Amino acid sequence: MIKTNVLLALLRALIVDGQNNHDWQHTTPILKAALESSGRFTVQVATSPPQGQSLDGFKPDFANFDVIVSNYNGQDWPEAAQQALEEYVRNGGGLVSVHAADNAFPNWVEYNRMIGVGGWGGRSDKSGPMLRWRDGKVVRDAHGGGGTHGQFFSFVVETRDPDHPITKGLPARWRHTRDELYATLCGPAENVTVLATALSDVTHQEEPMLMAIRYGKGRVFHTTLGHSVESMEDVGFVATLDRGAEWAATGRVTQGVPANFPTADTVSKWEPPATK
């Protein structure tokens, strides 16, 4: 990855994991390495108690960080932790939702406002509209939401907002490695900028892959990419994760686009930095 200006203060990122229907034990280290490789972040991890155990004492100190990266999809957090995250983001903190983190907390109203749209967990038309890209603009579909995906395959991501700091300089079309392509996500869909989409093999609609959401004074970057280690070891995933996390933390992006960013025809594999 392209390194940033060494004079910039490192941003503090916290990855939250511990429960997920995906392989968080192996994907969290990739997220950590990806963020650190940008030269913009120091990274800590807060791991919840495992599924079935009490989460009563689980309350990460969000206020000590510039951005929270959620790799969590499991039991509801205690009310104190929920309120702490709401206040943190509302007052200007950054949040990143990675892949199945948008499956989490279907009944937590403010979380769904933070991520814009989500899937599964009983979400339905009553949760809010889906966002699709049609005829050069975002449209809101009121019926059919809930969350689905089709095959595990490589697909082309299309940049829809080339002027946003996260996607500025990215190719108009770039091929992502094999992943789950989430579709029919639904929710409050408030203050959402759709940054990139991909054509679903299930719905045959252009579904949002990357989103930027405003919540109070805070910023949220929502990526639906990143099902597995293979899905994350992709230059397109890592570059947009790093840029999205920096934007969520600061409102700007200082990182350049990697020279080996994927093209419309070619996947670009990301190699984690060698450990000493």
Side-chain angles (χ1 to χ4, degrees):
M1 302 300 295
I2 293 177
K3 297 294 184 180
T4 56
N5 189 328
V6 295
L7 297 178
L8 291 172
L10 291 177
L11 300 167
R12 299 160 298 171
L14 177 70
I15 299 173
V16 181
D17 65 11
Q19 295 184 26
N20 203 317
N21 61 315
H22 293 61
D23 186 11
W24 64 267
Q25 294 94 333
H26 290 98
T27 57
T28 286
I30 300 296
L31 294 172
K32 184 174 186 292
L35 291 166
E36 290 174 340
S37 75
S38 72
R40 285 298 280 128
F41 300 95
T42 62
V43 184
Q44 296 183 38
V45 179
T47 300
S48 76
Q51 187 80 31
Q53 293 190 16
S54 173
L55 270 63
D56 288 349
F58 183 68
K59 185 187 175 186
D61 194 356
F62 302 121
N64 278 337
F65 298 90
D66 299 298
V67 62
I68 311 303
V69 179
S70 179
N71 194 27
Y72 182 93
N73 177 29
Q75 292 171 259
D76 286 352
W77 292 350
E79 185 175 350
Q82 293 187 11
Q83 291 180 349
L85 184 66
E86 290 173 23
E87 292 173 6
Y88 166 81
V89 180
R90 186 182 295 117
N91 292 328
L95 175 65
V96 175
S97 172
V98 178
H99 195 62
D102 68 21
N103 301 184
F105 311 126
N107 299 314
W108 179 1
V109 172
E110 295 306 310
Y111 181 79
N112 285 282
R113 291 183 65 203
M114 282 187 262
I115 64 170
V117 290
W120 294 273
R123 289 178 173 90
S124 68
D125 294 352
K126 296 180 180 179
S127 306
M130 298 175 288
L131 298 175
R132 264 74 177 272
W133 185 270
R134 294 197 197 111
D135 300 322
K137 63 182 180 180
V138 175
V139 298
R140 300 162 71 91
D141 279 356
H143 303 294
T148 189
H149 65 79
Q151 299 297 313
F152 189 68
F153 74 113
S154 174
F155 50 85
V156 171
V157 177
E158 300 205 37
T159 301
R160 298 303 186 183
D161 189 338
D163 297 321
H164 193 279
I166 296 173
T167 43
K168 191 175 182 65
L170 299 189
R173 304 176 78 247
W174 46 279
R175 181 163 290 279
H176 178 50
T177 193
R178 297 198 311 155
D179 207 339
E180 288 179 341
L181 197 164
Y182 276 5
T184 69
L185 302 182
C186 59
E190 300 169 351
N191 305 312
V192 180
T193 300
V194 174
L195 304 177
T197 67
L199 184 65
S200 168
D201 58 323
V202 175
T203 66
H204 307 292
Q205 298 284 334
E206 287 286 343
E207 304 278 357
M209 298 292 102
L210 307 177
M211 291 165 274
I213 303 102
R214 295 280 183 168
Y215 180 81
K217 297 178 181 178
R219 293 166 297 272
V220 181
F221 173 60
H222 181 169
T223 176
T224 67
L225 308 177
H227 168 72
S228 65
V229 168
E230 178 184 357
S231 306
M232 290 185 178
E233 288 185 344
D234 173 84
V235 172
F237 174 82
V238 170
T240 53
L241 171 76
D242 291 345
R243 292 163 69 91
E246 185 179 12
W247 175 81
T250 69
R252 62 182 184 138
V253 175
T254 63
Q255 304 168 57
V257 178
N260 62 339
F261 197 89
T263 68
D265 302 315
T266 307
V267 169
S268 186
K269 182 175 172 57
W270 180 77
E271 298 288 349
T275 56
K276 297 182 179 179

